[in-house]
Structure formats: C-alpha cells, structure tokens
Amino acid sequence: MSSFKDKLSKTGPRKLLACDGGGIRGIISIEILAQIEAELRKTSGQPNLVLADYFDYVGGTSTGAIIATLISLGFSMDGARDFYLKSGAEMFHKALLWDRFKNKFQDDRLAAMLKDVIGAATAFGSDKLRTLLMIVLRNATTDSPWPISNNPEAKYNRPGRTGRNTELPLWQLVRASTAAPVYFPPEVIYVGQKEFVFVDGGVTMYNNPAFQLFLMATTEPYRLCWPTGEKEMLLVSIGTGASANANSNLSPEEMNLIYNASHIPSALMAAALHEQDFLCRIFGRCLVGDPLDREVGDVLGQGIPNVPKLFTYSRYNAELSREGLDALGLSQIEPAHVQQMDSVDHIAEMQEVGRAVAATKVKSEHFVDFPS
C-alpha cells in the first residue's frame, strides 16, 4: 500500500482536494464526493479506485478535517458515509444539563470515535496516510490560525526538530479542528514541552481551506513548491451548504449584545468562506461554481486581464435557502432542517441535498485533463 511519501516523488499534474467545515452538514460533502469517486472510477476503468488514489494533497477544516483524514487513510466514500450515518447522533450527543453552560455537546464520544476510526497511536506523519494532509486548527493560546500538514519538508516537521507536528496524534488534531466553540470544549495538545489550547479551525479565515491549501502546495515558505498552471494543477473545493441568515425585517433595536454575540461569528465565517472561493475563481480557471453575489456572478471565464491562471478549479456547494433548494428540485425540504450544523434528525434530507448537487453539477469533463 502506497503512502503519502510516494506522492512527493510522482510526476505529472498535481490534484488537490479541500473540504469545508459545517458540522453534520459534512454529509452533504460526502454525497458530492461519492459522485466524484464514481465518475473517476468510470473514466479510469478502476472500479475500486478511492479518492486517495486520485488526489495528491487533501485538506479540511472542522468536519472537513474528518472527511479529509478519512480520504487520506484510504476510505471509500461508502465507508465515510457509514461513519457519518452511524456516528452522527453520537457526535452531537447533548451534554448533561448543568454542563451546557459551557458546551452544548459532550466531547468524549467524539474523541472515542476518532480514536477508533483513525487509531489512537496513529501519528500525523504515519505512513497509513496515503496523501499529503492539511488540517486547520485555531490555537487559542497564541490567538492564531494553525494550518498544519504532514509535508516532511515543512518547517515544523523537519528531522531533528523537537516536538514535530508529524509526531502529534492524528485523532487529536482532528478533534481539535472540530472543537467548535459553544458546541464542543477545546482540545489541549502538548507540542514538545508547550501546552496549547485549540479550538475549531472554522473560527479562522479557513473554514473553506481551498486557497490556503493551494498556497501550502506551491509557495516557498511551505517548502513543497509544486508547479502551477491550469494544466499543472487541479483544485477541487467541496462545500457543506451555504445558509445566509438574511432578515429583511431586522431593526436597529434588535442588534443588542445577545444578537451580536450569536450572529457576528457566523457572519465572519461566511465572509471568509466567500473570500476564499472568490480568490480561487480569480486565480484559477473555474469550471463550475454557483454565483457568489449579484455583482461578480459566478466568475467563470473571468479573472485578472493578462495574468495566467495558476490552476484549474471546481467548486461544488449547495445554496440552502428556499430558492436554492427549489432550484435543486427539493421543494419538499424545509431550509431550517438542513441549515443547522447539529441537525442530526435531518441527515437523510441533507443526503438528498448532496445527491442533488452531485447529479446536477459533477461532470466527468471536469476531470478529463487530470487523469488518475
């Protein structure tokens, strides 16, 4: 079985996959990824192909970190789906009433599930990983985002360094990336002799980690320096559904401390997600993606005049508004059922959304220039 180290020496175009955060809405991503896997199996003639066979570098934030790790470990999308369907209710098992002033859900069950599926002794630099892997965390101790990878040449992975990131338990890094404030308690990780408190990587600019993944694959500071160009690199970005919290009846009097405390974090995360996507569409040759807003549209075929495209890009996501669901032919689904990150009672409806997106947007021609 190949390991991620084999990806370092391969030749030919590079293929990157980025997975957004979004709680249990990750099941939407899995259904989209399942269609991509099916298309790649068909076009390659490899009926047992898994996404780790195709992609060289996989990255994710929060629930996307779980999905990216499962992919890097060689899971099929059937296996990833089974994990979410069997574990979804357990992931969001409510904390005891007196503990809910701290966090809404228990963390011990999520930690146990991650240890079980990843392996308690599996390190971030383990050869069990079949692709390069990037995970986004937020270091609350240093008040900074921590996008880390298992790239052996990265500064904090170099041989001889004390407390290398590649020596850290993989399950714990994934658990830290999913530690959404209010939902789960933070994760304490010792890096060398230092103790750091980590929370969900979604509370950074990288809830959509696509452009950051591109930078970590190509720029000099990250020491990988893969070649760029629309024929040299494919970047695929998978969302968990966009759910703008529009309120046309909002009055200034409603915007009190409680309102701002509950709405500002999600507003900042949504803006960051949008910006990452916009950057990818401008600097990449965008093949597919929903309109970003009324001014810029979908940006397909556009960019900066006379500036060559640095990669080929596809963005698959769902608009979870009433209008968006209707456009997917899902008028029977209530938007409120599929918009919440912890809506475990409506996983089946989220699967419908993911399959509808996959059926209408995933095309084999998006991958034809980048064969497996």
Side-chain angles (χ1 to χ4, degrees):
M1 188 69 69
S2 62
S3 84
F4 72 93
K5 294 172 185 173
D6 298 306
K7 303 285 190 180
L8 298 171
S9 57
K10 66 164 280 189
T11 58
R14 299 293 186 166
K15 291 159 283 191
L16 318 180
L17 174 65
C19 301
D20 286 13
I24 201 61
R25 294 201 322 249
I27 195 69
I28 295 174
S29 302
I30 286 172
E31 296 300 342
I32 298 169
L33 288 163
Q35 184 61 36
I36 293 175
E37 185 180 70
E39 292 290 341
L40 293 173
R41 287 176 174 181
K42 181 172 61 176
T43 57
S44 69
Q46 302 175 49
N48 296 318
L49 176 145
V50 293
L51 295 179
D53 297 321
Y54 183 78
F55 289 101
D56 303 306
Y57 204 162
V58 183
T61 303
S62 194
T63 199
I66 298 176
I67 297 170
T69 299
L70 294 177
I71 289 171
S72 189
L73 287 169
F75 275 65
S76 68
M77 285 302 98
D78 284 344
R81 181 190 296 113
D82 287 346
F83 175 78
Y84 267 74
L85 294 181
K86 292 176 182 176
S87 307
E90 290 294 309
M91 285 187 203
F92 292 94
H93 186 83
K94 283 188 167 53
L96 296 173
L97 184 61
W98 51 84
D99 285 334
R100 290 185 206 168
F101 291 104
K102 297 179 181 178
N103 307 287
K104 191 173 181 180
F105 301 107
Q106 293 182 359
D107 70 319
D108 53 348
R109 299 193 181 198
L110 175 57
M113 288 185 295
L114 292 174
K115 288 179 186 178
D116 182 61
V117 73
I118 294 171
T122 301
F124 193 30
S126 170
D127 284 340
K128 290 169 63 176
L129 293 169
R130 295 174 56 184
T131 72
L132 287 166
L133 177 63
M134 184 265 276
I135 295 174
V136 181
L137 309 83
R138 179 177 178 273
N139 189 329
T141 303
T142 61
D143 194 24
S144 59
W146 269 37
I148 62 173
S149 86
N150 61 345
N151 170 19
E153 292 302 313
K155 178 177 180 178
Y156 292 101
N157 295 341
R158 300 296 296 274
R161 186 180 185 91
T162 302
R164 291 183 294 163
N165 289 338
T166 46
E167 297 172 341
L168 299 172
L170 177 56
W171 75 265
Q172 198 172 25
L173 295 175
V174 176
R175 162 68 184 84
S177 184
T178 63
V182 179
Y183 289 93
F184 296 107
E187 184 75 16
V188 176
I189 300 179
Y190 284 88
V191 182
Q193 301 299 313
K194 295 183 179 180
E195 176 186 287
F196 295 107
V197 178
F198 290 96
V199 295
D200 193 333
V203 194
T204 68
M205 277 291 292
Y206 313 121
N207 193 48
N208 171 354
F211 197 68
Q212 178 64 21
L213 181 62
F214 163 72
L215 294 175
M216 292 180 75
T218 59
T219 60
E220 290 180 334
Y222 293 108
R223 305 183 183 187
L224 202 52
C225 299
W226 284 350
T228 62
E230 62 180 80
K231 297 292 186 182
E232 298 296 326
M233 180 168 285
L234 172 68
L235 174 57
V236 177
S237 176
I238 311 294
T240 61
S243 55
N245 190 21
N247 183 357
S248 59
N249 298 315
L250 181 66
S251 67
E253 291 75 19
E254 292 179 73
M255 299 185 68
N256 52 35
L257 286 174
I258 295 175
Y259 175 92
N260 287 325
S262 62
H263 286 75
I264 286 177
S266 61
L268 293 174
M269 289 169 65
L273 183 149
H274 178 285
E275 184 71 4
Q276 289 276 315
D277 191 9
F278 186 43
L279 288 170
C280 288
R281 298 190 196 203
I282 292 297
F283 290 101
R285 179 173 69 97
C286 187
L287 303 179
V288 58
D290 293 335
L292 292 170
D293 59 44
R294 293 181 181 179
E295 180 170 12
V296 303
D298 58 22
V299 201
L300 270 64
Q302 297 180 296
I304 303 173
N306 303 316
V307 175
K309 296 294 187 179
L310 297 174
F311 51 92
T312 294
Y313 176 67
S314 294
R315 171 69 173 174
Y316 305 102
N317 201 16
E319 172 56 56
L320 302 179
S321 65
R322 176 73 278 155
E323 294 80 6
L325 293 172
D326 288 347
L328 289 170
L330 300 174
S331 58
Q332 76 280 10
I333 293 180
E334 288 295 325
H337 290 178
V338 294
Q339 290 178 346
Q340 302 305 311
M341 293 198 304
D342 59 345
S343 193
V344 293
D345 293 334
H346 301 285
I347 289 179
E349 292 166 85
M350 294 180 189
Q351 287 183 275
E352 287 188 68
V353 173
R355 289 168 184 160
V357 172
T360 57
K361 299 177 183 177
V362 176
K363 309 294 181 185
S364 59
E365 53 262 33
H366 298 162
F367 305 92
V368 68
D369 292 332
F370 299 89
S372 59

